Amino acid sequence: MKLLKWVGGTIALLVILVMAALAYITIGIDPNSYKQDIKRLAEQQGVAVDITGDLDWQLFPTLAIQVGETHIAGITQAIPDTTFKSARLNLDWKALLGRHIAVESIHIDDANINIKNQQQAVAAATAPAAAGTAGVEPDASADTENTAHKFSLAIERFEISNSRITLPGKIHSDTNSSAVLEDFTLSMTGLNLTGKPFALETSFNTRHPVLPDTLQVSLQADVSVDQTSQQFDASKALLKLTQADKPELEASFEVQINGTAGSLQVPTLIITSSELRAEATLKAINIHDNLQWDAQISIPAMNLHKTLTDWGVSISLPDTALQRFSLDSRMNGSTQAVTFKDLSLSLDDFSTHGTASLNLNAPKILNLQLEGTQLDLNHYTSVDRDGDSDKKSSDKSDKTGAEEAAKGETTPNAVFVPLLAPLAWLEGGSGAIDIKLEGLTVNSVDLNNVQLLSRIHDSTVELTKLSASTFGGTLLTTASINLGPHSSTLTFKQQLNGISLQQAATAFNSGADVNGILNMNMHGASHGLTVGELNSNLTGAGQLQITQPSIATVNIEQAYCDIAALVEKIEPIQQWPTGTQLTDLDASFNLKGHQLFLDSYTTGLGNLSLRGSGVVDTRKSTFNILAITRLNGERTSENGCVVESKKIRGKDISIRCKDSFANAGVKSCGPDGDTIKQLMEATLLDKIKKETGLDDESVEALEGLLKGLFNR
């Protein structure tokens, strides 16, 4: 019983002592008397503080001073303008017994922080840690009976909740609009500037014009700051970015910054989201001046299509596209230049490796060298290998391209769009691009051993070499492209050697049943923004040769023999092959839009020689060819017809072949109008001579009269 009485008495005594201490503190010390000390402490740190609310005691759950509405601003421009509704300063109660207020932790609620520039952003970020060792002695002239002997900040914990931070556009983006961090919270435990680790946690929500939903951001890390050596370390850092209905993006990393040495290291950076896992490292020196850095990035094989879809990115590509993507590269650079070494990229079945370098100072310079495997662009389009969809798109662009260009608009099939990004970045600088591919497939065209060499200067792209093997032969193209604001101009030269016309016709689904081996040299020019405009405005000229040409659907020899049979009044041969095998063809031509004008050509078959001219319309898939034939001998060929009439043999007989590629056949060729007139004239003249017995002088006069009648 005595023990219980002693324990009870002791507890009662302790309660009385605590009550007495609390009474002494709350009655004997008025926290509002410290307003001047707080203001003076802030001024020593270059901060203007205006406490418009009251300072009150809080006894539970911890001893603290409640601070009412307060406004904080920088005496200079270094401190962001800040207003908060309330704050709680947790105190060391032992120090209070000596009339000394020592703030151990701060909790700020409902703050509005307006950051106007980068200097203020840095000040806001470092202010909590800087307060960890701050202190102030009372003014010597102050009334010591009514003020504290000393006021100090030795903050162990700093918290912000339910707050709002406004950032100017030039800090967070290239726009002038401000970014607002809503529901901002911050917690730092164990604050110090002596290099000991302390815990940091922060989170906020924000909106951006490019983001459809609110972005939730959180960060937690173990941080250490050594004010003496200016060393900053962050370990076990985890950054999370979350949007509604989107996969979370996580970045775990470590950072080491030495302000004295001017060095920065990121030994670990791992970013994950959906199928993505990217790993990177970074080392930098001279971060204050003349920055130099080395980095490495690796993205193991991932399903890029699924990741983009999960992120809500609209993809107008087949489901089979972007199924596999990987990237590896070593990089180094400075404030003046960036170099990519051992750049390796794979996309589905395609892979490439190479190097790249960028000069960042004016005049900017871009150098790119890549070597790759077979690239099939059909994986990334909905066009069938027969080219139908491509043809429809081209026809549509012919009708609308000029109208849209007049409005200053670019269309989805603007052919020079891929060149605009590097030209815009170069800002009048120069570039060199060297690309080699094992192969390239576009629609039904397969190109092998592709090499592209180009040079860029100002708004001009010089294609110094584009070579490839295709259709059993080779092509070589050089071009100059000048990209203007409303239209682009193109000049080019092209050589084709050993091209199989049959393979080309099949690939382009042109319907032209022509065979042979094509060799061609041409030059041309065009202007426009779209494929349709470039085709419509195309002009050019050149020479071509076709060895062993044949036409599968038209028999020119049959057309000639049918004319001969008509003149000789005999039955024509009924059985003929469906096509024509010609001797080597030489021609000169001109291009105008979609039309190929054969200015002159020469060829032959058997004892028939052929020459003439014609037009081929690639858009309408039609042809109109004049074949002037001349028989040198009695028989057209070994299996052809025998011609005895001198009206035909040794004379120029014009045959017109005119039709569409799809409908070309026996009826596509027939006597030309001039040939019919010529034959009618000769027949009429012979009949008059026979029946009238005119002399040679009269016959000559009659022949001139008939030519006038037949307009020959």
CSV table of all heavy atoms in Angstrom, one decimal, residues 334-391:
chain,number,residue,atom,x,y,z
A,334,SER,N,29.0,18.1,-75.3
A,334,SER,CA,29.3,19.3,-74.6
A,334,SER,C,28.3,20.3,-74.9
A,334,SER,O,27.2,19.9,-75.5
A,334,SER,CB,30.7,19.8,-75.0
A,334,SER,OG,30.7,20.2,-76.3
A,335,THR,N,28.5,21.5,-74.5
A,335,THR,CA,27.5,22.5,-74.8
A,335,THR,C,27.5,22.9,-76.3
A,335,THR,O,26.6,23.6,-76.8
A,335,THR,CB,27.7,23.8,-74.0
A,335,THR,OG1,29.1,24.2,-74.1
A,335,THR,CG2,27.5,23.5,-72.5
A,336,GLN,N,28.6,22.5,-77.0
A,336,GLN,CA,28.8,22.8,-78.4
A,336,GLN,C,28.4,21.6,-79.3
A,336,GLN,O,28.0,21.9,-80.5
A,336,GLN,CB,30.2,23.2,-78.7
A,336,GLN,CG,30.7,24.5,-78.1
A,336,GLN,CD,31.1,24.3,-76.6
A,336,GLN,OE1,31.6,23.3,-76.2
A,336,GLN,NE2,30.9,25.4,-75.8
A,337,ALA,N,28.5,20.4,-78.9
A,337,ALA,CA,28.3,19.3,-79.8
A,337,ALA,C,27.8,18.0,-79.1
A,337,ALA,O,28.0,17.9,-77.9
A,337,ALA,CB,29.6,19.0,-80.6
A,338,VAL,N,27.2,17.1,-79.9
A,338,VAL,CA,26.7,15.8,-79.4
A,338,VAL,C,27.1,14.8,-80.4
A,338,VAL,O,27.0,15.0,-81.6
A,338,VAL,CB,25.2,15.8,-79.1
A,338,VAL,CG1,24.8,14.4,-78.7
A,338,VAL,CG2,24.8,16.8,-78.1
A,339,THR,N,27.7,13.7,-79.9
A,339,THR,CA,28.1,12.5,-80.8
A,339,THR,C,27.4,11.3,-80.3
A,339,THR,O,27.4,11.0,-79.1
A,339,THR,CB,29.6,12.4,-80.8
A,339,THR,OG1,30.2,13.6,-81.2
A,339,THR,CG2,30.0,11.2,-81.7
A,340,PHE,N,26.8,10.5,-81.2
A,340,PHE,CA,26.2,9.2,-80.9
A,340,PHE,C,27.2,8.1,-81.5
A,340,PHE,O,27.4,8.1,-82.7
A,340,PHE,CB,24.9,9.1,-81.6
A,340,PHE,CG,23.8,10.0,-81.0
A,340,PHE,CD1,23.7,11.3,-81.4
A,340,PHE,CD2,23.0,9.5,-80.0
A,340,PHE,CE1,22.8,12.1,-80.9
A,340,PHE,CE2,22.0,10.4,-79.5
A,340,PHE,CZ,21.9,11.7,-79.9
A,341,LYS,N,27.7,7.3,-80.6
A,341,LYS,CA,28.6,6.2,-81.0
A,341,LYS,C,27.9,4.9,-80.9
A,341,LYS,O,27.1,4.7,-80.0
A,341,LYS,CB,29.9,6.2,-80.1
A,341,LYS,CG,30.7,7.5,-80.3
A,341,LYS,CD,31.9,7.4,-79.4
A,341,LYS,CE,32.8,8.7,-79.5
A,341,LYS,NZ,34.0,8.6,-78.6
A,342,ASP,N,28.3,4.0,-81.7
A,342,ASP,CA,27.7,2.6,-81.6
A,342,ASP,C,26.2,2.6,-81.5
A,342,ASP,O,25.6,1.9,-80.7
A,342,ASP,CB,28.3,1.9,-80.4
A,342,ASP,CG,29.8,1.7,-80.5
A,342,ASP,OD1,30.3,1.6,-81.6
A,342,ASP,OD2,30.5,1.8,-79.5
A,343,LEU,N,25.6,3.5,-82.3
A,343,LEU,CA,24.1,3.6,-82.3
A,343,LEU,C,23.5,2.3,-83.0
A,343,LEU,O,23.9,2.0,-84.1
A,343,LEU,CB,23.7,4.8,-83.1
A,343,LEU,CG,22.2,5.0,-83.3
A,343,LEU,CD1,21.5,5.2,-82.0
A,343,LEU,CD2,21.9,6.3,-84.2
A,344,SER,N,22.7,1.6,-82.3
A,344,SER,CA,22.1,0.4,-82.8
A,344,SER,C,20.6,0.4,-82.5
A,344,SER,O,20.2,0.6,-81.4
A,344,SER,CB,22.7,-0.8,-82.1
A,344,SER,OG,22.1,-2.0,-82.5
A,345,LEU,N,19.8,0.3,-83.6
A,345,LEU,CA,18.4,0.3,-83.4
A,345,LEU,C,17.7,-0.8,-84.2
A,345,LEU,O,18.2,-1.1,-85.3
A,345,LEU,CB,17.9,1.7,-83.9
A,345,LEU,CG,16.4,2.0,-83.9
A,345,LEU,CD1,16.1,3.5,-83.7
A,345,LEU,CD2,15.7,1.6,-85.2
A,346,SER,N,16.7,-1.4,-83.7
A,346,SER,CA,16.0,-2.4,-84.4
A,346,SER,C,14.5,-2.1,-84.3
A,346,SER,O,14.0,-1.7,-83.3
A,346,SER,CB,16.3,-3.8,-83.8
A,346,SER,OG,15.7,-3.9,-82.5
A,347,LEU,N,13.8,-2.4,-85.4
A,347,LEU,CA,12.3,-2.2,-85.5
A,347,LEU,C,11.8,-3.3,-86.3
A,347,LEU,O,12.0,-3.5,-87.5
A,347,LEU,CB,12.0,-0.8,-86.1
A,347,LEU,CG,10.6,-0.4,-86.2
A,347,LEU,CD1,10.0,-0.2,-84.8
A,347,LEU,CD2,10.4,0.8,-87.0
A,348,ASP,N,11.0,-4.2,-85.6
A,348,ASP,CA,10.5,-5.4,-86.2
A,348,ASP,C,11.6,-6.2,-86.8
A,348,ASP,O,12.6,-6.5,-86.1
A,348,ASP,CB,9.4,-5.0,-87.2
A,348,ASP,CG,8.2,-4.3,-86.5
A,348,ASP,OD1,7.8,-4.7,-85.4
A,348,ASP,OD2,7.7,-3.4,-87.1
A,349,ASP,N,11.6,-6.5,-88.1
A,349,ASP,CA,12.6,-7.3,-88.7
A,349,ASP,C,13.8,-6.4,-89.2
A,349,ASP,O,14.8,-7.0,-89.7
A,349,ASP,CB,12.0,-8.0,-89.9
A,349,ASP,CG,11.0,-9.1,-89.5
A,349,ASP,OD1,11.1,-9.6,-88.4
A,349,ASP,OD2,10.1,-9.3,-90.3
A,350,PHE,N,13.7,-5.1,-89.1
A,350,PHE,CA,14.7,-4.2,-89.5
A,350,PHE,C,15.7,-3.8,-88.4
A,350,PHE,O,15.3,-3.6,-87.3
A,350,PHE,CB,14.1,-3.0,-90.1
A,350,PHE,CG,15.1,-1.9,-90.5
A,350,PHE,CD1,15.9,-2.0,-91.6
A,350,PHE,CD2,15.2,-0.7,-89.7
A,350,PHE,CE1,16.8,-1.0,-91.9
A,350,PHE,CE2,16.1,0.3,-90.0
A,350,PHE,CZ,16.9,0.1,-91.2
A,351,SER,N,17.0,-3.8,-88.7
A,351,SER,CA,18.0,-3.3,-87.7
A,351,SER,C,19.0,-2.5,-88.4
A,351,SER,O,19.3,-2.6,-89.6
A,351,SER,CB,18.6,-4.5,-87.0
A,351,SER,OG,19.4,-5.3,-88.0
A,352,THR,N,19.5,-1.5,-87.7
A,352,THR,CA,20.5,-0.6,-88.3
A,352,THR,C,21.5,-0.2,-87.2
A,352,THR,O,21.2,-0.2,-86.0
A,352,THR,CB,19.8,0.7,-88.9
A,352,THR,OG1,20.8,1.5,-89.4
A,352,THR,CG2,19.1,1.5,-87.8
A,353,HIS,N,22.7,0.2,-87.6
A,353,HIS,CA,23.7,0.7,-86.7
A,353,HIS,C,24.5,1.8,-87.4
A,353,HIS,O,24.5,1.8,-88.7
A,353,HIS,CB,24.6,-0.5,-86.3
A,353,HIS,CG,25.4,-1.1,-87.4
A,353,HIS,ND1,24.9,-2.0,-88.2
A,353,HIS,CD2,26.7,-0.8,-87.8
A,353,HIS,CE1,25.9,-2.4,-89.1
A,353,HIS,NE2,26.9,-1.6,-88.9
A,354,GLY,N,25.1,2.6,-86.6
A,354,GLY,CA,25.9,3.7,-87.2
A,354,GLY,C,26.3,4.7,-86.2
A,354,GLY,O,26.4,4.5,-85.0
A,355,THR,N,26.6,5.9,-86.7
A,355,THR,CA,27.1,7.0,-85.8
A,355,THR,C,26.3,8.3,-86.3
A,355,THR,O,25.8,8.4,-87.4
A,355,THR,CB,28.6,7.2,-85.9
A,355,THR,OG1,28.9,7.6,-87.3
A,355,THR,CG2,29.3,6.0,-85.5
A,356,ALA,N,26.3,9.3,-85.4
A,356,ALA,CA,25.8,10.6,-85.7
A,356,ALA,C,26.5,11.6,-84.9
A,356,ALA,O,26.9,11.4,-83.7
A,356,ALA,CB,24.2,10.6,-85.4
A,357,SER,N,26.6,12.8,-85.4
A,357,SER,CA,27.2,13.9,-84.7
A,357,SER,C,26.4,15.2,-85.0
A,357,SER,O,25.9,15.4,-86.1
A,357,SER,CB,28.6,14.1,-85.0
A,357,SER,OG,28.8,14.4,-86.4
A,358,LEU,N,26.2,16.0,-84.0
A,358,LEU,CA,25.5,17.3,-84.1
A,358,LEU,C,26.4,18.4,-83.5
A,358,LEU,O,26.9,18.3,-82.4
A,358,LEU,CB,24.2,17.2,-83.3
A,358,LEU,CG,23.3,16.0,-83.6
A,358,LEU,CD1,22.1,16.1,-82.5
A,358,LEU,CD2,22.7,16.1,-85.0
A,359,ASN,N,26.5,19.5,-84.3
A,359,ASN,CA,27.1,20.7,-83.8
A,359,ASN,C,26.0,21.6,-83.4
A,359,ASN,O,25.2,22.1,-84.3
A,359,ASN,CB,28.0,21.3,-84.9
A,359,ASN,CG,28.9,22.5,-84.4
A,359,ASN,OD1,28.5,23.1,-83.4
A,359,ASN,ND2,29.9,22.8,-85.1
A,360,LEU,N,26.0,22.0,-82.2
A,360,LEU,CA,24.8,22.7,-81.6
A,360,LEU,C,24.9,24.2,-81.8
A,360,LEU,O,23.9,24.9,-81.7
A,360,LEU,CB,24.6,22.4,-80.1
A,360,LEU,CG,24.5,20.9,-79.8
A,360,LEU,CD1,24.4,20.7,-78.3
A,360,LEU,CD2,23.3,20.3,-80.5
A,361,ASN,N,26.1,24.7,-82.0
A,361,ASN,CA,26.3,26.2,-82.2
A,361,ASN,C,26.1,26.5,-83.7
A,361,ASN,O,26.4,25.7,-84.6
A,361,ASN,CB,27.7,26.6,-81.7
A,361,ASN,CG,27.8,26.5,-80.2
A,361,ASN,OD1,26.8,26.4,-79.5
A,361,ASN,ND2,29.0,26.4,-79.7
A,362,ALA,N,25.7,27.8,-83.9
A,362,ALA,CA,25.6,28.3,-85.3
A,362,ALA,C,26.9,28.4,-85.9
A,362,ALA,O,27.9,29.0,-85.3
A,362,ALA,CB,24.8,29.6,-85.3
A,363,PRO,N,27.1,28.0,-87.2
A,363,PRO,CA,26.1,27.3,-88.0
A,363,PRO,C,26.1,25.8,-87.6
A,363,PRO,O,27.1,25.2,-87.4
A,363,PRO,CB,26.7,27.4,-89.4
A,363,PRO,CG,28.2,27.5,-89.2
A,363,PRO,CD,28.4,28.3,-87.9
A,364,LYS,N,24.8,25.3,-87.4
A,364,LYS,CA,24.7,24.0,-86.9
A,364,LYS,C,25.1,23.0,-88.0
A,364,LYS,O,24.9,23.3,-89.2
A,364,LYS,CB,23.2,23.7,-86.5
A,364,LYS,CG,22.8,24.5,-85.3
A,364,LYS,CD,21.4,24.2,-84.9
A,364,LYS,CE,21.0,24.9,-83.6
A,364,LYS,NZ,19.6,24.7,-83.2
A,365,ILE,N,25.6,21.8,-87.6
A,365,ILE,CA,26.0,20.8,-88.5
A,365,ILE,C,25.5,19.4,-88.1
A,365,ILE,O,25.5,19.1,-86.9
A,365,ILE,CB,27.6,20.7,-88.6
A,365,ILE,CG1,28.1,22.1,-89.0
A,365,ILE,CG2,28.0,19.7,-89.5
A,365,ILE,CD1,29.6,22.2,-89.0
A,366,LEU,N,25.0,18.7,-89.0
A,366,LEU,CA,24.5,17.3,-88.8
A,366,LEU,C,25.2,16.3,-89.7
A,366,LEU,O,25.3,16.6,-90.9
A,366,LEU,CB,23.0,17.2,-89.1
A,366,LEU,CG,22.4,15.8,-89.2
A,366,LEU,CD1,22.4,15.1,-87.9
A,366,LEU,CD2,20.9,15.9,-89.7
A,367,ASN,N,25.8,15.3,-89.1
A,367,ASN,CA,26.4,14.2,-89.8
A,367,ASN,C,25.8,12.9,-89.4
A,367,ASN,O,25.7,12.6,-88.1
A,367,ASN,CB,27.9,14.1,-89.6
A,367,ASN,CG,28.6,15.3,-90.3
A,367,ASN,OD1,28.6,15.3,-91.5
A,367,ASN,ND2,29.2,16.2,-89.6
A,368,LEU,N,25.3,12.1,-90.3
A,368,LEU,CA,24.7,10.8,-90.0
A,368,LEU,C,25.1,9.7,-90.9
A,368,LEU,O,25.1,9.9,-92.1
A,368,LEU,CB,23.1,10.9,-90.1
A,368,LEU,CG,22.3,9.7,-89.9
A,368,LEU,CD1,22.4,9.2,-88.4
A,368,LEU,CD2,20.8,10.0,-90.2
A,369,GLN,N,25.6,8.6,-90.4
A,369,GLN,CA,26.0,7.4,-91.1
A,369,GLN,C,25.3,6.2,-90.6
A,369,GLN,O,25.4,5.9,-89.4
A,369,GLN,CB,27.5,7.2,-91.1
A,369,GLN,CG,28.3,8.3,-91.7
A,369,GLN,CD,28.6,9.5,-90.8
A,369,GLN,OE1,28.8,9.2,-89.6
A,369,GLN,NE2,28.6,10.7,-91.3
A,370,LEU,N,24.5,5.5,-91.4
A,370,LEU,CA,23.8,4.4,-91.0
A,370,LEU,C,23.9,3.2,-92.0
A,370,LEU,O,23.9,3.5,-93.2
A,370,LEU,CB,22.3,4.7,-90.8
A,370,LEU,CG,21.9,5.6,-89.7
A,370,LEU,CD1,20.4,5.9,-89.7
A,370,LEU,CD2,22.3,5.1,-88.3
A,371,GLU,N,24.0,2.0,-91.5
A,371,GLU,CA,23.9,0.8,-92.3
A,371,GLU,C,22.8,-0.1,-91.7
A,371,GLU,O,22.7,-0.3,-90.5
A,371,GLU,CB,25.2,0.1,-92.4
A,371,GLU,CG,26.3,0.9,-93.1
A,371,GLU,CD,27.6,0.1,-93.2
A,371,GLU,OE1,27.5,-1.2,-93.0
A,371,GLU,OE2,28.6,0.6,-93.6
A,372,GLY,N,22.0,-0.6,-92.6
A,372,GLY,CA,20.8,-1.4,-92.1
A,372,GLY,C,20.5,-2.6,-93.0
A,372,GLY,O,21.1,-2.8,-94.1
A,373,THR,N,19.7,-3.4,-92.5
A,373,THR,CA,19.2,-4.6,-93.2
A,373,THR,C,18.0,-4.3,-94.1
A,373,THR,O,17.8,-3.1,-94.4
A,373,THR,CB,18.8,-5.7,-92.2
A,373,THR,OG1,17.8,-5.2,-91.3
A,373,THR,CG2,20.0,-6.1,-91.3
A,374,GLN,N,17.3,-5.3,-94.5
A,374,GLN,CA,16.1,-5.1,-95.4
A,374,GLN,C,15.0,-4.4,-94.6
A,374,GLN,O,14.6,-4.8,-93.5
A,374,GLN,CB,15.6,-6.4,-95.9
A,374,GLN,CG,14.4,-6.3,-96.8
A,374,GLN,CD,14.8,-6.0,-98.2
A,374,GLN,OE1,15.9,-6.2,-98.7
A,374,GLN,NE2,13.8,-5.4,-99.0
A,375,LEU,N,14.5,-3.3,-95.2
A,375,LEU,CA,13.4,-2.5,-94.6
A,375,LEU,C,12.2,-2.6,-95.5
A,375,LEU,O,12.2,-2.2,-96.6
A,375,LEU,CB,13.8,-1.0,-94.4
A,375,LEU,CG,12.7,-0.1,-93.9
A,375,LEU,CD1,12.2,-0.5,-92.5
A,375,LEU,CD2,13.2,1.3,-93.8
A,376,ASP,N,11.1,-3.2,-95.0
A,376,ASP,CA,9.9,-3.4,-95.7
A,376,ASP,C,8.9,-2.4,-95.2
A,376,ASP,O,8.3,-2.5,-94.1
A,376,ASP,CB,9.4,-4.8,-95.5
A,376,ASP,CG,8.2,-5.1,-96.5
A,376,ASP,OD1,7.6,-4.1,-97.1
A,376,ASP,OD2,7.8,-6.3,-96.6
A,377,LEU,N,8.7,-1.3,-96.0
A,377,LEU,CA,7.8,-0.2,-95.6
A,377,LEU,C,6.3,-0.7,-95.6
A,377,LEU,O,5.4,0.0,-95.1
A,377,LEU,CB,8.0,1.0,-96.4
A,377,LEU,CG,9.3,1.7,-96.3
A,377,LEU,CD1,9.4,2.9,-97.2
A,377,LEU,CD2,9.6,2.1,-94.8
A,378,ASN,N,6.0,-1.8,-96.3
A,378,ASN,CA,4.7,-2.3,-96.3
A,378,ASN,C,4.2,-2.7,-95.0
A,378,ASN,O,3.0,-2.8,-94.7
A,378,ASN,CB,4.6,-3.5,-97.3
A,378,ASN,CG,4.8,-3.1,-98.7
A,378,ASN,OD1,4.6,-1.9,-99.1
A,378,ASN,ND2,5.4,-4.0,-99.5
A,379,HIS,N,5.1,-3.0,-94.0
A,379,HIS,CA,4.7,-3.3,-92.7
A,379,HIS,C,4.0,-2.1,-92.0
A,379,HIS,O,3.3,-2.3,-91.0
A,379,HIS,CB,5.9,-3.7,-91.8
A,379,HIS,CG,6.4,-5.1,-92.2
A,379,HIS,ND1,5.6,-6.1,-92.5
A,379,HIS,CD2,7.7,-5.6,-92.2
A,379,HIS,CE1,6.4,-7.2,-92.8
A,379,HIS,NE2,7.6,-6.9,-92.6
A,380,TYR,N,4.2,-0.9,-92.5
A,380,TYR,CA,3.8,0.3,-91.8
A,380,TYR,C,2.7,1.0,-92.7
A,380,TYR,O,2.5,2.2,-92.4
A,380,TYR,CB,5.0,1.2,-91.5
A,380,TYR,CG,6.1,0.4,-90.8
A,380,TYR,CD1,7.2,0.0,-91.5
A,380,TYR,CD2,5.9,0.0,-89.5
A,380,TYR,CE1,8.2,-0.8,-90.9
A,380,TYR,CE2,6.9,-0.8,-88.9
A,380,TYR,CZ,8.0,-1.2,-89.6
A,380,TYR,OH,9.0,-2.0,-89.0
A,381,THR,N,2.2,0.4,-93.7
A,381,THR,CA,1.1,1.0,-94.5
A,381,THR,C,0.0,-0.1,-94.7
A,381,THR,O,0.2,-1.3,-94.4
A,381,THR,CB,1.6,1.4,-95.9
A,381,THR,OG1,2.0,0.3,-96.6
A,381,THR,CG2,2.8,2.4,-95.7
A,382,SER,N,-1.1,0.4,-95.1
A,382,SER,CA,-2.3,-0.5,-95.4
A,382,SER,C,-2.4,-0.8,-96.9
A,382,SER,O,-3.4,-1.3,-97.3
A,382,SER,CB,-3.6,0.1,-94.9
A,382,SER,OG,-3.8,1.4,-95.5
A,383,VAL,N,-1.3,-0.4,-97.6
A,383,VAL,CA,-1.3,-0.6,-99.1
A,383,VAL,C,-1.0,-2.0,-99.4
A,383,VAL,O,-0.1,-2.6,-99.0
A,383,VAL,CB,-0.3,0.4,-99.7
A,383,VAL,CG1,-0.3,0.2,-101.3
A,383,VAL,CG2,-0.6,1.8,-99.4
A,384,ASP,N,-1.8,-2.6,-100.3
A,384,ASP,CA,-1.6,-4.0,-100.8
A,384,ASP,C,-0.4,-3.9,-101.8
A,384,ASP,O,-0.1,-2.9,-102.4
A,384,ASP,CB,-2.8,-4.5,-101.5
A,384,ASP,CG,-4.0,-4.7,-100.6
A,384,ASP,OD1,-3.7,-4.9,-99.4
A,384,ASP,OD2,-5.1,-4.6,-101.0
A,385,ARG,N,0.2,-5.1,-102.0
A,385,ARG,CA,1.3,-5.1,-102.9
A,385,ARG,C,0.9,-4.9,-104.4
A,385,ARG,O,1.8,-4.7,-105.2
A,385,ARG,CB,2.1,-6.5,-102.8
A,385,ARG,CG,2.9,-6.6,-101.5
A,385,ARG,CD,3.7,-7.8,-101.5
A,385,ARG,NE,4.7,-7.8,-102.5
A,385,ARG,CZ,6.0,-7.3,-102.4
A,385,ARG,NH1,6.3,-6.8,-101.2
A,385,ARG,NH2,6.9,-7.4,-103.3
A,386,ASP,N,-0.4,-4.9,-104.7
A,386,ASP,CA,-0.8,-4.6,-106.0
A,386,ASP,C,-0.8,-3.1,-106.3
A,386,ASP,O,-1.0,-2.7,-107.4
A,386,ASP,CB,-2.1,-5.3,-106.4
A,386,ASP,CG,-3.3,-4.7,-105.4
A,386,ASP,OD1,-3.0,-3.8,-104.7
A,386,ASP,OD2,-4.4,-5.3,-105.5
A,387,GLY,N,-0.7,-2.3,-105.2
A,387,GLY,CA,-0.6,-0.9,-105.4
A,387,GLY,C,-1.9,-0.2,-105.6
A,387,GLY,O,-1.9,1.0,-105.9
A,388,ASP,N,-3.0,-0.8,-105.4
A,388,ASP,CA,-4.3,-0.2,-105.7
A,388,ASP,C,-4.5,1.0,-104.8
A,388,ASP,O,-4.9,2.1,-105.2
A,388,ASP,CB,-5.5,-1.2,-105.5
A,388,ASP,CG,-5.5,-2.2,-106.7
A,388,ASP,OD1,-4.8,-1.9,-107.7
A,388,ASP,OD2,-6.2,-3.2,-106.6
A,389,SER,N,-4.3,0.8,-103.5
A,389,SER,CA,-4.5,1.9,-102.5
A,389,SER,C,-3.6,3.0,-102.8
A,389,SER,O,-4.0,4.2,-102.7
A,389,SER,CB,-4.3,1.3,-101.1
A,389,SER,OG,-5.2,0.3,-100.8
A,390,ASP,N,-2.4,2.8,-103.2
A,390,ASP,CA,-1.5,3.8,-103.5
A,390,ASP,C,-1.9,4.6,-104.7
A,390,ASP,O,-1.8,5.8,-104.8
A,390,ASP,CB,-0.1,3.2,-103.8
A,390,ASP,CG,1.0,4.3,-104.0
A,390,ASP,OD1,1.2,5.1,-103.1
A,390,ASP,OD2,1.5,4.3,-105.2
A,391,LYS,N,-2.5,3.9,-105.7
A,391,LYS,CA,-3.0,4.6,-106.9
A,391,LYS,C,-4.1,5.5,-106.6
A,391,LYS,O,-4.2,6.6,-107.0
A,391,LYS,CB,-3.4,3.6,-108.0
A,391,LYS,CG,-3.8,4.2,-109.3
A,391,LYS,CD,-4.1,3.1,-110.3
A,391,LYS,CE,-4.5,3.7,-111.6
A,391,LYS,NZ,-5.7,4.6,-111.6
